[in-house]
């Protein structure tokens, strides 16, 4: 099993002290996408465009975000050839949430804050749903005493990832040109504006409900925020809804670890392994290494 990646240096940092402020680039990007989707989607609806939206949304989130960015890039739960790794992360960028460095920072700071004894509501998702989603779509947290996120040199020194980080928004333009040539403006609206809007809002919605207590058998000791499993949403969320499992075993490439917990992203990783394209696949750590956990059911 690969060693977990510890990127956050929190010496002198506080996960509570600070304030939520508007992040203008994030606000313009997300609200711009949502506004365009609301205005133009009804005017351009067609069965073909809707099917395109469903396919692109599902598989970009499944392959790019869940299997690529989340389980491989962030948690290092499996390894693959550098070219395949770049392809998966590129598909993750096309989801439209952030570049690779931005995704790592968003995830790792949130995870660090949630595992502390105290955590600001911005990271714990303990306010109301609509306020929380508004925060995540439009705002950032400015720390009084910020932690430092040290991204691995393999990413920071790679020109491909540097380019993706600085240009991640513009890659929608290339995809838009391709979609326009295939199906006109309807494909652009549903394949870009609607897809990005649903992907980003959907991501933060699942994040919200997964961090409000519910079914789950594991409690992370000394952590202020505990995660939930949400039964019945495995297929829709690529297995990410089994978030109580993920908090307990972030080293595992499989998140739906219990019987009957559907985990499509894990099936994709298994498929890569079958083809010889994935290796060093992480599993839940052994019983003797679970001192940080308490089994509650």
């Amino acid at each position: 099993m690969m060693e977990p990646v510890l990127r956050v240096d929190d010496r002198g940092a506080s996960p509570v002290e600070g304030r939520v402020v508007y992040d203008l680039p994030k606000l313009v990007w997300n609200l711009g996408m949502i506004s365009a989707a609301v205005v133009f989607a009804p005017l351009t609806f067609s069965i073909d465009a809707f099917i395109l939206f469903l396919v692109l949304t599902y598989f970009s989130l499944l392959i790019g975000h869940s299997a690529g960015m989340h389980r491989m890039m962030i948690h290092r739960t499996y390894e693959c050839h550098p070219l395949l790794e770049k392809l998966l992360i590129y598909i993750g960028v096309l989801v439209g949430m952030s570049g690779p460095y931005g995704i790592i920072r968003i995830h790792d700071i949130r995870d660090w804050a949630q595992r502390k004894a105290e955590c600001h509501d911005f990271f714990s998702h303990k306010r109301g749903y609509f306020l929380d989603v508004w925060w995540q779509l439009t705002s950032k947290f400015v720390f009084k005493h910020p932690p430092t996120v040290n991204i691995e040199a393999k990413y920071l020194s790679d020109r491909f990832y540097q380019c993706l980080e600085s240009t991640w928004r513009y890659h929608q333009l290339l995809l838009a040109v391709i979609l326009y040539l295939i199906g006109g403006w309807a494909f652009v609206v549903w394949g870009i504006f609607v897809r990005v809007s649903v992907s980003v809002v959907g991501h933060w919605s699942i994040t919200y409900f997964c961090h409000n207590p519910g079914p789950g058998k594991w409690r992370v000791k000394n952590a202020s925020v505990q995660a939930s499993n949400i039964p019945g949403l495995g297929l829709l969320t690529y297995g990410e809804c089994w978030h109580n499992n993920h908090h307990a075993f972030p080293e595992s490439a499989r998140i739906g670890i219990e019987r009957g917990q559907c985990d499509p992203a894990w099936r994709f990783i298994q498929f890569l392994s079958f083809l010889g394209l994935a290796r060093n696949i992480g599993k839940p750590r052994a019983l003797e290494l679970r001192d940080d956990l308490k089994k509650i059911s």
Side-chain angles (χ1 to χ4, degrees):
M1 181 185 299
M2 292 178 289
E3 292 295 323
V5 177
L6 302 176
R7 301 186 182 94
V8 178
D9 182 351
D10 64 351
R11 287 172 292 185
S14 169
V16 177
E17 297 180 44
R19 58 196 177 97
V20 180
V21 301
Y22 282 119
D23 183 334
L24 187 58
K26 178 196 282 189
L27 183 154
V28 171
W29 175 257
N30 287 327
L31 296 191
M33 284 287 178
I34 293 170
S35 298
V38 170
V39 172
F40 296 114
L43 302 176
T44 58
F45 176 82
S46 70
I47 295 299
D48 289 346
F50 184 68
I51 292 173
L52 172 85
F53 153 73
L54 291 178
V55 172
L56 285 184
T57 302
Y58 193 85
F59 285 100
S60 62
L61 284 166
L62 168 67
I63 296 171
H65 186 78
S66 183
M69 282 185 154
H70 188 207
R71 306 191 199 198
M72 179 186 63
M73 181 181 71
I74 291 173
H75 288 288
R76 310 304 299 158
T77 64
Y78 68 98
E79 296 176 340
C80 58
H81 189 279
L83 290 179
L84 178 58
E85 182 172 358
K86 286 179 168 63
L87 175 61
L88 296 179
I89 292 174
Y90 182 76
I91 296 172
V93 165
L94 289 178
V95 168
M97 191 174 303
S98 186
Y101 304 161
I103 288 290
I104 289 174
R105 292 188 181 99
I106 290 168
H107 178 280
D108 281 24
I109 289 177
R110 187 172 306 272
D111 186 69
W112 162 77
Q114 291 175 352
R115 290 174 183 270
K116 293 297 183 181
E118 293 183 281
C119 177
H120 193 278
D121 288 346
F122 183 82
F123 302 112
S124 67
H125 307 284
K126 294 307 178 189
R127 295 290 186 96
Y129 167 77
F130 292 105
L131 175 58
D132 187 78
V133 172
W134 177 258
W135 273 356
Q136 309 310 328
L137 293 177
T138 67
S139 305
K140 62 183 177 181
F141 189 80
V142 177
F143 289 94
K144 184 176 180 180
H145 305 290
T148 300
V149 180
N150 300 306
I151 300 172
E152 303 95 302
K154 68 169 287 185
Y155 295 121
L156 277 179
S157 63
D158 191 300
R159 291 185 178 180
F160 177 77
Y161 295 119
Q162 292 171 4
C163 178
L164 283 187
E165 182 63 25
S166 61
T167 64
W168 65 269
R169 292 180 178 89
Y170 304 116
H171 292 275
Q172 302 297 333
L173 294 174
L174 176 59
L175 179 57
V177 170
I178 295 171
L179 293 177
Y180 178 78
L181 294 175
I182 296 172
W185 287 112
F187 274 30
V188 173
V189 170
W190 285 85
I192 303 294
F193 300 134
V194 181
R195 175 184 58 81
V196 171
S197 299
V198 170
S199 295
V200 177
V201 173
H203 169 84
W204 289 117
S205 296
I206 292 299
T207 298
Y208 175 83
F209 291 110
C210 281
H211 287 98
N212 285 282
K217 66 168 57 176
W218 302 101
R219 176 172 290 275
V220 179
K221 296 178 182 178
N222 303 317
S224 61
V225 179
Q226 302 295 327
S228 308
N229 288 333
I230 308 180
L233 294 183
L235 182 63
L236 182 64
T237 65
Y238 334 103
E240 296 289 336
C241 67
W242 312 116
H243 215 63
N244 179 260
N245 300 343
H246 179 57
H247 269 223
F249 306 106
E251 71 280 1
S252 176
R254 183 178 183 178
I255 297 180
I257 60 177
E258 301 290 341
R259 186 173 182 177
Q261 292 181 339
C262 179
D263 189 349
W266 164 243
R267 297 302 181 190
F268 174 72
I269 296 168
Q270 282 187 307
F271 178 66
L272 292 180
S273 177
F274 174 77
L275 295 178
L277 300 176
R279 61 186 182 278
N280 294 335
I281 298 174
K283 299 178 180 179
R285 60 194 180 279
L287 289 173
E288 62 269 19
L289 300 176
R290 299 181 185 180
D291 291 342
D292 61 321
L293 298 179
K294 179 180 179 181
K295 196 172 182 179
I296 58 176
S297 63

